[in-house]
Amino acid sequence: MKKYIPSWHDDEVAALSELAAGFFQREVMAHNEKWDAQHHIDRDVWLEAGKLGLLCCSIPEEYGGGGGTFAHDLAVFCAQGYAGDLSFGISVHSGIVAHYILAYGTEEQKTTWLPGMASGEVLGAIGMTEPGAGSDLKAIKTSAIRDGDEYIVNGSKTFITNGSSADVIVLAVKTDPKAGAKGVSLLIVDLRECVGFEVGRVLDKVGQTGADTSELSFTDVRVPVSNLLGAEGRGFAQMMTQLGQERLIIGAQASGAMNRAVHDTVEYTKSRQAFGHSLFDFQNTAFELAECQTIARTCEVFLDSCIQSHLAGQLDPAEAAMVKYWLTDQQCTVIDRCVQLHGGYGYMREYLIARMYQDARVQRIYAGANEVMKAMIAKAL
């Protein structure tokens, strides 16, 4: 079948996509057993990604980045999804944390953090979710009370991608605990030699077992007021603005994963024999894959439209919610159907489809549960 070429793919973006595909296969997927066992990916992999120009692709060159558009980052994230990997926390590092600092940081904050993030020498995380606050970010309780030229931070975070490995975190805090959403601010916290900061459990998940997903705690951590990201009390609005881009990233990974699932299942069913024929020769198998391919293609076209809107600065929150909700729902559906066509082998983790089945499920939960996405879409009607 003719390969779909996204409208946002020029020659440079296409070449970057190919480079990223080789990187994920060679540096990440080839060592899955090691990453699964240790629940994190080695720093050497981050440094290699930096050398290849796969980190912070859309950060300006003056801050060490690739100087491209967000299309360049999305090409990397799509390639990651197609590789079958959701353990390497590159999307959080490059697509989210770096862009918070770029969008809201002072010149000093940008020059301090972005070059190291682009090279892979500094690993970034974002701290939103808490044990009692997930999609409802107004409900966070981590506090940052001002004391002279410092904030004193107390609280805990959970489900933090890159949590135990990060050198820096963009931390959502309450600078005014009584002000609701208007009391939320963002702080850049240097986690290296940070007194009062502790990593709790590196969490044992159903999928994405190679990912560093951790619990973090902050006890009387002193953070300079100069580390405030943007204005005090603007954190909630900043997160709502940036979450649209995060949801687009998840859609890109979902699209890549669907295409890989269908490709591998077509290959498997054409090579697997049953009752004297290949599995693909049976009409049910062929029709199932025809439907899965159609779902994957229509999702790809919708993603393409949303990316074009985003690159033009016109992607609204409801559209971002649609692409996140719809593509992750379809990702889980398509991969589940592909597992079925693999039979018993689809349940074996030595087959990529089984890993993809496990990894996909959380896509419908993080960055705002899909039920919250539907509520956002309904509100815009």
Side-chain angles (χ1 to χ4, degrees), residues 240-271:
M240 291 303 98
T241 300
Q242 293 295 318
L243 274 169
Q245 184 162 284
E246 181 176 352
R247 289 162 183 159
L248 190 61
I249 291 168
I250 291 172
Q253 292 172 322
S255 177
M258 276 185 276
N259 282 317
R260 179 60 179 272
V262 175
H263 173 272
D264 282 11
T265 307
V266 169
E267 295 276 306
Y268 176 81
T269 56
K270 285 184 174 181
S271 65

Side-chain angles (χ1 to χ4, degrees), residues 25-319:
Q25 192 59 48
R26 182 179 65 254
E27 303 292 341
V28 181
M29 300 303 293
H31 308 285
N32 271 329
E33 290 184 8
K34 180 181 179 182
W35 313 142
D36 289 351
Q38 66 188 29
H39 298 304
H40 72 270
I41 291 175
D42 288 347
R43 281 297 181 109
D44 288 349
V45 180
W46 287 95
L47 293 170
E48 181 63 18
K51 288 178 184 176
L52 293 175
L54 300 178
L55 302 179
C56 303
C57 300
S58 56
I59 297 299
E61 291 180 1
E62 63 190 284
Y63 303 121
T69 69
F70 202 65
H72 294 79
D73 277 317
L74 287 167
V76 175
F77 305 145
C78 281
Q80 181 182 26
Y82 191 85
D85 168 62
L86 286 176
S87 290
F88 189 49
I90 190 173
S91 63
V92 169
H93 174 89
S94 292
I96 300 173
V97 180
H99 281 272
Y100 271 93
I101 295 173
L102 180 67
Y104 308 117
T106 63
E107 189 65 20
E108 181 180 357
Q109 289 169 343
K110 294 174 189 178
T111 56
T112 296
W113 295 109
L114 293 176
M117 292 184 68
S119 68
E121 295 170 286
V122 173
L123 181 54
I126 188 159
M128 295 183 186
T129 304
E130 297 182 1
S135 295
D136 182 9
L137 291 171
K138 297 188 296 293
I140 64 169
K141 296 186 181 302
T142 298
S143 64
I145 305 304
R146 187 158 180 172
D147 180 27
D149 293 333
E150 295 178 316
Y151 289 106
I152 302 175
V153 178
N154 284 281
S156 60
K157 300 290 180 179
T158 193
F159 308 144
I160 305 305
T161 299
N162 301 333
S164 74
S165 305
D167 301 297
V168 62
I169 189 168
V170 172
L171 192 67
V173 297
K174 282 283 185 73
T175 45
D176 184 350
K178 298 179 181 179
K182 293 182 179 179
V184 177
S185 302
L186 298 179
L187 293 179
I188 301 174
V189 183
D190 188 342
L191 299 177
R192 298 167 297 187
E193 299 181 8
C194 182
V195 178
F197 165 70
E198 290 187 6
V199 176
R201 293 182 300 158
V202 176
L203 298 167
D204 185 17
K205 304 178 296 298
V206 170
Q208 301 183 15
T209 50
D212 171 9
T213 309
S214 306
E215 296 175 332
L216 309 178
S217 69
F218 300 83
T219 304
D220 293 333
V221 172
R222 289 188 170 269
V223 179
V225 170
S226 60
N227 283 25
L228 181 69
L229 193 58
E232 193 171 286
R234 291 292 300 161
F236 186 78
Q238 292 165 340
M239 288 189 287
M240 291 303 98
T241 300
Q242 293 295 318
L243 274 169
Q245 184 162 284
E246 181 176 352
R247 289 162 183 159
L248 190 61
I249 291 168
I250 291 172
Q253 292 172 322
S255 177
M258 276 185 276
N259 282 317
R260 179 60 179 272
V262 175
H263 173 272
D264 282 11
T265 307
V266 169
E267 295 276 306
Y268 176 81
T269 56
K270 285 184 174 181
S271 65
R272 179 76 174 173
Q273 298 290 310
F275 306 106
H277 300 277
S278 74
L279 290 180
F280 191 83
D281 288 336
F282 291 95
Q283 188 180 70
N284 178 70
T285 303
F287 279 14
E288 278 286 288
L289 285 167
E291 290 182 20
C292 287
Q293 177 62 64
T294 304
I295 292 168
R297 177 60 59 86
T298 55
C299 285
E300 202 168 15
V301 173
F302 178 40
L303 174 67
D304 189 346
S305 173
C306 290
I307 290 174
Q308 288 284 25
S309 293
H310 183 63
L311 293 174
Q314 298 173 353
L315 182 69
D316 66 37
E319 282 183 306

